Amino acid sequence: MPLARDAIRQLAEARGGCTRPVQLRRTDITTGQVDQVLVPCGATLEHTCRSCADRARSLRAQQCREGWHLEDEPDSGPPVPDETQESWLTLRAEAQVRRDHALAQREDTTGLDELIGELDDHITDSGIRGCLTPSGSGDHDRRPARRSRSTRRRQDTPDLPKRPMTARTTGRVFGAPDGRRYRPSMFLTLTCDSYGKVGPDGTPADPGRYDYQRAARDALHFAALFDRLIQNLRRYLGYDLQYFAAIEPQKRLAPHVHLAIRGTVSRTDLRQVIAATYHQVWWPPTGTVRFDSDHLPVWHEATGRYLDPATGELLPTWDEALDAIGPRDEPVHVARFGPKFDAQGVLGGSRDSARCIGYLTKYLTKQLAGCHTPDTDAQAAHVDRLVDALRYEPCSPGCANWLRYGVQPDNPRPGMRPGQCKGKAHRREHLGYAGRRVLVSRKWSGKTLADHRGDRKAWLIAMLDLPAADPGQYTWERVTPADHDHMPPGRRLLHVLTDRARWQAALTQARRRAQDTDDLPATGRAA
Ligand SMILES: [Zn+2]
Ligand SMILES: [Zn+2]
């Protein structure tokens, strides 16, 4: 016999209802009427909530579709931050709150000031101009000026011809003899290089000779390599190339990237740009293990740094270790794409275009490692060996693994232990790639994900002929388990199930009506 709650969950899921709804208390500010509203959890991974993840994926597909074959420049209203910029700004906001809190508690803010300085650098690098807390406004005056380090951005320039840049984001138009005009776009797949021969199941023919270290490092720096490719392509092509990219693992577990780009590039050009693209990692050397097993650096409370337990000497700080990288040193790693790539031209609205969008969004609801679950012992062992190789690789300047190589991690804290860094990249489910799975350039569709979501909502409201709600009409509060009106999960699911059934019936009816009268709203799809 199925358990009542499981059965309800399955039914709710089958009808596309959220299985982890959040309960909100909505009060009408004019009438004072209180309603309980269940809001979908908004998860993007199917193991958290399948219905929400499916909706998130189809929203991404819509975003991809709308931007890919744009013929006119997207509306250049006030530029909204793209997702990379948004993530840096969010981190920056959190750091500011922590710093202001520390200041109020009269605690030392040096570490946080440095962090803020670094985040400001990232924000600038990501293309945002101006300063969030300009000096003179009080707070930032006390921040020590950050030294500019030559090693930080020392990237050799690629050996590529450059074209003069134009601001255009759309590709070239081609005329056919019959007078029709085409503006083709492209679907590309780029992979990492080979780390050793693999069989059809993705496992190495000779695990002993498979280069797991290089595989681990390429995965760790894949996002930076991708950034560099886009920069090089833009320079080489001379226009502001736009992309929608999805990153996922191949069967051999190396990340690869599928990308839809607006406009076309010849295979010869592409081969040249890929060959010239690399990312150099200028980090302190990790060739010698200085501290291991029981012999580990110890935290020194007074200085807030780690020291060598044998000599009592403080380990060099992250900045000192970077400064020690000399002009004749080599980068610790150079990430490159493999020479093999796949490129096809795609026309807007074609069956190919729909197929590629399906391909781009196929695995978005799964975690990286969940894209290929190991079926055989050999595959499981392959995952294990890659995770082992990732264990002691530094994932970032703040990684605990730097202690192993005798360097203070950036912003050190007590309790750091090599091999136990909490960074996402080390975790089995991420296979070394800790970045975002979907990367969308700023002028792709000219809309944010929230705009696309709004389009769908507007479509649904038009479809069901609902009165448009006035956002100022209600106040909202989150209901907590301690509240008298809190609904336990089972009861919420019952409501979700009923709501979904009602919505679907209303939608079916509206569709039928629309078919009769032919006034189907043109944009969007059902939520
Ligand atoms: Zn959900
Ligand atoms: Zn780490």
Side-chain angles (χ1 to χ4, degrees), residues 28-68:
D28 188 317
I29 53 171
T30 38
T31 65
Q33 183 179 330
V34 177
D35 287 303
Q36 301 299 332
V37 177
L38 295 174
V39 183
C41 71
T44 54
L45 293 175
E46 67 178 24
H47 76 85
T48 316
C49 176
R50 182 184 290 269
S51 306
C52 287
D54 280 346
R55 262 192 296 276
R57 171 172 52 191
S58 80
L59 195 65
R60 285 297 194 180
Q62 183 180 334
Q63 182 185 33
C64 183
R65 196 180 308 121
E66 280 192 31
W68 202 356

Side-chain angles (χ1 to χ4, degrees), residues 315-362:
L315 301 188
T317 64
W318 176 251
D319 282 358
E320 286 163 359
L322 282 188
D323 289 344
I325 300 171
R328 261 172 302 185
D329 287 321
E330 296 282 314
V332 285
H333 183 65
V334 180
R336 287 177 188 281
F337 289 106
K340 279 190 207 153
F341 65 91
D342 188 70
Q344 42 179 302
V346 178
L347 285 172
S350 63
R351 198 178 300 167
D352 265 355
S353 163
R355 186 178 51 81
C356 291
I357 291 169
Y359 216 61
L360 273 160
T361 52
K362 185 173 173 193

